[in-house]
Amino acid sequence: MIMYETVSFIHSWWAYLVVIVLLITTVNSIIGLTSKKEYGATDFRLALFTLITTHIQLLIGLVLYFVSPYFTALTESGMGPVMKDSTLRLYLVEHPLMMILAVVLITVGYSKHKKKLTSKPKFKTLSIFYTLALLFVLSRIPWSAWF
Ligand code: HEM
């Protein structure tokens, strides 16, 4: 229980960092693309910082998943009842799945943008992948429990 409470606390606070840096990097890339800015060191650092922050949240989330009481509910009653309960389904299926997909989008977007040689395609790649990831994250945050 102490393990669950600690990891849950860290995951809950780290989430603010994730949402903030992802939002900043996404907006920054869209501004870079639309204003035809030159891609520079700050743009690269933002993209990288978002990658690292979300990867850390992914690891914390994975640990949290297996120590949470929700997981106990899954092992005790199985997938059927979990899917019928909207709270259990959110924490055990929808949230982890969408967050993992968001991290995949960020990882793919980051590596693709790095391989582009000029500013416009770099900003364009980041804009597309990070915006999608942001939407995935925002769609499956348990807002009522978090805020
Ligand atoms: C990477 C982006 C992620 C973000 C932004 C995020 C954010 C959050 C937030 C805001 C909460 C609610 C915390 C609260 O109630 O105060 C939460 C809960 C939870 N998350 Fe994540 N999460 C992410 C990834 C993951 C992943 C990958 C997993 C599992 C594989 C996961 C598993 C869980 C579980 C099991 C809970 C509910 C347990 C609890 O804290 O009571 N999360 N998450």
Side-chain angles (χ1 to χ4, degrees):
M1 206 56 196
I2 191 87
M3 176 77 173
Y4 164 66
E5 278 156 15
T6 312
V7 182
S8 172
F9 177 83
I10 300 170
H11 190 74
S12 180
W13 282 100
W14 198 261
Y16 284 100
L17 196 59
V18 170
V19 172
I20 290 166
V21 294
L22 180 55
L23 188 69
I24 292 174
T25 308
T26 306
V27 171
N28 180 259
S29 318
I30 295 172
I31 292 174
L33 180 68
T34 50
S35 65
K36 301 187 168 65
K37 246 180 51 186
E38 199 60 50
Y39 176 91
T42 309
D43 305 305
F44 173 71
R45 284 195 199 108
L46 276 176
L48 178 62
F49 192 55
T50 306
L51 178 80
I52 296 169
T53 311
T54 47
H55 275 239
I56 292 172
Q57 182 72 333
L58 172 73
L59 296 181
I60 304 169
L62 280 172
V63 175
L64 178 60
Y65 191 91
F66 295 106
V67 299
S68 72
Y70 304 110
F71 186 67
T72 315
L74 175 65
T75 48
E76 275 169 6
S77 38
M79 209 55 184
V82 163
M83 294 307 274
K84 286 195 193 80
D85 181 317
S86 67
T87 306
L88 289 177
R89 192 174 63 235
L90 175 67
Y91 286 125
L92 289 166
V93 184
E94 297 169 356
H95 176 83
L97 202 71
M98 293 300 277
M99 296 303 177
I100 290 169
L101 285 177
V103 177
V104 169
L105 281 168
I106 290 167
T107 312
V108 173
Y110 176 81
S111 4
K112 279 189 179 297
H113 109 281
K114 250 191 101 171
K115 294 194 191 101
K116 308 283 184 201
L117 300 171
T118 49
S119 297
K120 195 182 170 196
K122 277 184 183 290
F123 281 130
K124 194 175 173 189
T125 311
L126 284 180
S127 299
I128 295 168
F129 284 87
Y130 281 44
T131 300
L132 259 179
L134 180 63
L135 292 178
F136 278 27
V137 167
L138 294 182
S139 79
R140 283 301 170 272
I141 276 182
W143 292 103
S144 52
W146 188 40
F147 252 9

